[in-house]
Structures are given as structure tokens and as C-alpha cells.
Amino acid sequence: MKDTHKHTGYITPPDYFQLFETDLKNRLSTQGLPKKPGYTLPPDYFEMVEGPIFKKISKKPKHTAVRPVAYIAAIAASVVLVVSLFVQKPSAGVSWQSLSAEDISSYIISGGIEMNTTDLAQLFKDEEINTLQNFTSTLNSNTLEDYLLETIDEATLETE
Amino acid sequence: MSHEKKLVAALQTPKEQQLAFSELLRQYKQPLYWHIRRMVVRHEDADDVLQNTFIKVFRNIKKFKGDSKLYTWLYRIATNEAMTHLNKKAKQGQCTVNDVKEQALKNLKSDPYFEGGTAEQILLKAIAALPQKQQLVFTMKYFEDHTYQQLSEILETSVGALKSSYHIATAKITAYVKEHGSNPLTVVR
């Protein structure tokens, strides 16, 4: 058949005829399927939803300041302390090698070590604290925000 | 200046921000809600994610440079928030995102905010059985009537790849429906 379109100047998007058949088949095969999934919502939901959103955005984000240096310092110091305890007084049957990072982490989280940030800061030399500060300053705010949203629940933020 | 550009400019101007944000909510709360709802299934989850989406939009609007359309940017945020929500639930339940969705779909029958019948439930289960990206492509094309060009901008995938993804998804869904449709009890538990 003669390609009469050549005389009209009309053109098609690239691969149009190759894709047309696929598109048509897709439309035909989905014809018998429901067009809506059947979800509903509470009456007046869309009128009501704006209230909580405005309430939340009008709250100034609390400067939990999250004190990354303090947190990292706390964790690092706790690990150093645990290591030093085990190195100095090896208990029968327990060695540093036999402990996993998870064991140490659980020990710290369950309150096995009680120290405040001042105590922890004293364990570090100024240079070490500077190194930690340099490390945390390389974290960009989005990474930090994502991490916090993932790991800190609202209750914690409220109490901070 | 287009309507969208005016809206963005107003959103980025402290004095006009509140009013502009109301306008943004008016325009996008419904389409974004349904987009999120189709991803997370339960109304309560969709409500959480919708609120988080708009809060994120509000807090980040100053960073919006207009490299993409506002519409595209909003859908990307909503999609990411919904995925984050699903991942969080999966992590809490120590299972996969698909397990989370399957569980939610199992409970649809008793969900007060679901009025679909067996056919809808089978279709939703067929969609949930797809890989995550195919679920998104199929849902956004089939239920939300996005064009491939819009999908390409939102999902940052080429039109060709999207068409292929949609075609594969459609084939899998029709096969699933054919297999389970004749005996709904095998899928509607």
C-alpha cells in the first residue's frame, strides 16, 4: 500500500506503530476489570483533613538539636568503656572476641552503662571530639532528617 | 506567568504562604489521597501519609527550584512517603512490603472504608502480587489515568520502559484474574 502520509506532512511519534498494538492489547485485556478499586473514606474527610495539617505546620519544629555529637560520643564512649572493661578484667568464658556488636549494643541500650554526656566527654581528648564534630558536620540535613524520621518516634521528640 | 508558577512563588513568599498552601491543599489533597490510598490500602494509613506528605511539602517548598513541575514533585513526595510508610510497617512486622499489603488486603472485607466486591478484591490482590515498580506503574496508569509522559517524569523512568512495565503488569494481572476469578474463594480469604 502506498504511504500517502508522505504527501500530507503528518508524522507519528517514534515507534508509534510498534507500540500501538501493545497499547491496544492492554486496553482490551483490562476491559473486563473493575475501573475503581472500591475504597471509600469517612464522610467529610477532605474537609476535615486540612485542620490537622495546618495544626502540624504551625507548630515550629522543636529544636531537639538532636545533639549528634553527644549521641555519637555516648555510643563511642560506651563501646570504649565496654572494651576496656573486658580487656582489663577478662571473665572466665567471656572474651571480647566472643561478643558481637549486637550484644554490646543491647547491653548499652538496656541501661548496662549509665553515664551522662559530661562523663562521656571527659573520656575523650579534645582532638577526638573535634574528629567527631568534623564527622557529623559532613552529614547533610536531608540524610540526618531521614535518619531521625526512621529511628525516632514522636513520643521521644515530644519529651526532648 | 503560569498558574503553577504563581502558586509556587506565593508558597515561597512568607506573607502569601498560608493562603497559597490552602490553595495547594484544595487542588491536590484528593488526587494525592487516592494515589497514596491505592499504595497503602487502609484509610488510616493513607491519612497519615497524606498529612506527612503535605507537611514535607510545606517544609521543603523553599527548596523547590522548578526543575520539574509542581505536580511531578508532589507525586514524588507522596510516593516516597507511602513507600517509607510501608517499609516502616514491614520493618516493624519483620516481613516484606508485599506481606504488609497482602495482610491489609486480607482484612478488606471487614474494612468499613471498602465497598468493593469480589472482582475488586481479586484485582487488588493481583496488583499486590506484582513487583513494587510494576504495581506503581499499573496503578497510576490504570486507575489514575496518568499519561506515560507524566509517569516518566514522576517515576524518572523512560516512556519505553514504562510501556513495557505496564504491558507485563497487565499480562500478569489478567492471568491472575483468569486463574482466580472463576473461584473467588481461592483468593478472597
Side-chain angles (χ1 to χ4, degrees):
Chain A
M1 189 184 277
K2 201 177 174 186
D3 286 340
T4 51
H5 70 279
K6 284 181 180 167
H7 304 291
T8 61
Y10 295 136
I11 56 165
T12 61
D15 303 330
Y16 172 74
F17 290 109
Q18 279 170 307
L19 295 167
F20 174 79
E21 201 178 315
T22 313
D23 285 348
L24 189 67
K25 278 181 188 167
N26 287 341
R27 282 185 66 177
L28 289 173
S29 60
T30 55
Q31 253 184 353
L33 299 177
K35 196 58 194 162
K36 286 183 176 175
Y39 296 132
T40 62
L41 69 178
D44 303 327
Y45 171 70
F46 287 123
E47 282 74 47
M48 316 269 274
V49 72
E50 295 190 13
I53 294 172
F54 274 110
K55 201 173 165 189
K56 284 181 187 171
I57 61 170
S58 60
K59 266 191 204 171
K60 287 206 168 173
K62 286 182 183 173
H63 283 286
T64 55
V66 183
R67 298 186 294 272
V69 175
Y71 282 120
I72 293 168
I75 293 163
S78 303
V79 172
V80 168
L81 192 65
V82 171
V83 172
S84 62
L85 285 174
F86 282 108
V87 168
Q88 284 165 17
K89 294 180 186 174
S91 324
V94 179
S95 68
W96 172 242
Q97 282 77 12
S98 70
L99 288 172
S100 67
E102 211 170 310
D103 294 330
I104 297 166
S105 165
S106 306
Y107 180 70
I108 296 164
I109 291 165
S110 62
I113 297 170
E114 281 188 25
M115 296 185 90
N116 60 35
T117 45
T118 316
D119 296 333
L120 292 168
Q122 283 170 356
L123 288 171
F124 282 87
K125 292 173 187 164
D126 286 348
E127 301 86 69
E128 288 168 328
I129 293 172
N130 285 340
T131 309
L132 280 169
Q133 277 173 330
N134 290 339
F135 168 70
T136 54
S137 66
T138 61
L139 293 171
N140 74 36
S141 57
N142 281 344
T143 313
L144 197 56
E145 189 188 340
D146 289 344
Y147 172 77
L148 292 172
L149 286 171
E150 275 288 309
T151 53
I152 295 184
D153 55 42
E154 283 190 8
T156 313
L157 289 173
E158 293 295 330
T159 54
E160 277 288 322
Chain B
M1 198 189 260
S2 72
H3 174 75
E4 185 180 298
K5 281 187 177 168
K6 276 183 195 164
L7 184 60
V8 172
L11 282 164
Q12 293 175 333
T13 310
K15 275 186 180 175
E16 299 170 46
Q17 197 174 40
Q18 268 325 54
L19 206 63
F21 193 66
S22 293
E23 173 61 18
L24 185 83
L25 274 169
R26 193 189 63 74
Q27 278 186 38
Y28 288 102
K29 65 186 172 188
Q30 295 203 30
L32 290 182
Y33 170 86
W34 290 115
H35 171 65
I36 292 164
R37 179 78 187 273
R38 288 178 192 112
M39 286 181 74
V40 301
V41 180
R42 289 175 66 242
H43 164 72
E44 290 75 11
D45 292 327
D47 180 41
D48 269 356
V49 176
L50 183 71
Q51 291 189 29
N52 290 342
T53 299
F54 277 109
I55 290 162
K56 201 153 207 174
V57 167
F58 184 83
R59 292 193 177 148
N60 291 285
I61 192 67
K62 280 186 182 164
K63 294 180 199 163
F64 179 74
K65 304 275 182 243
D67 298 333
S68 61
K69 289 176 189 147
L70 180 65
Y71 165 94
T72 308
W73 188 64
L74 294 173
Y75 267 87
R76 261 190 229 153
I77 293 177
T79 307
N80 288 341
E81 285 296 307
M83 279 312 302
T84 305
H85 183 85
L86 288 170
N87 283 328
K88 204 172 176 181
K89 285 192 99 174
K91 205 173 168 186
Q92 280 166 354
Q94 295 184 325
C95 57
T96 66
V97 166
N98 275 17
D99 292 337
V100 170
K101 286 186 92 167
E102 267 177 38
Q103 190 54 46
L105 290 172
K106 271 185 193 172
N107 299 331
L108 269 184
K109 261 190 152 179
S110 55
D111 191 328
Y113 303 121
F114 180 73
E115 61 179 14
T118 305
E120 284 80 7
Q121 289 185 55
I122 293 172
L123 174 60
L124 292 174
K125 280 171 188 278
I127 297 169
L130 298 172
Q132 201 57 48
K133 185 76 179 269
Q134 282 175 23
Q135 286 186 35
L136 255 180
V137 174
F138 183 83
T139 306
M140 293 178 80
K141 180 83 185 104
Y142 185 73
F143 292 123
E144 301 173 25
D145 285 330
H146 289 281
T147 63
Y148 282 116
Q149 192 50 49
Q150 288 169 333
L151 281 183
S152 171
E153 287 164 18
I154 295 167
L155 302 175
E156 296 174 301
T157 308
S158 73
V159 169
L162 288 169
K163 285 193 174 186
S164 153
S165 205
Y166 183 71
H167 178 62
I168 295 166
T170 304
K172 284 183 186 170
I173 286 168
T174 45
Y176 186 100
V177 171
K178 207 176 267 181
E179 188 187 336
H180 297 89
S182 56
N183 182 8
L185 289 176
T186 57
V187 280
V188 185
R189 280 163 277 179

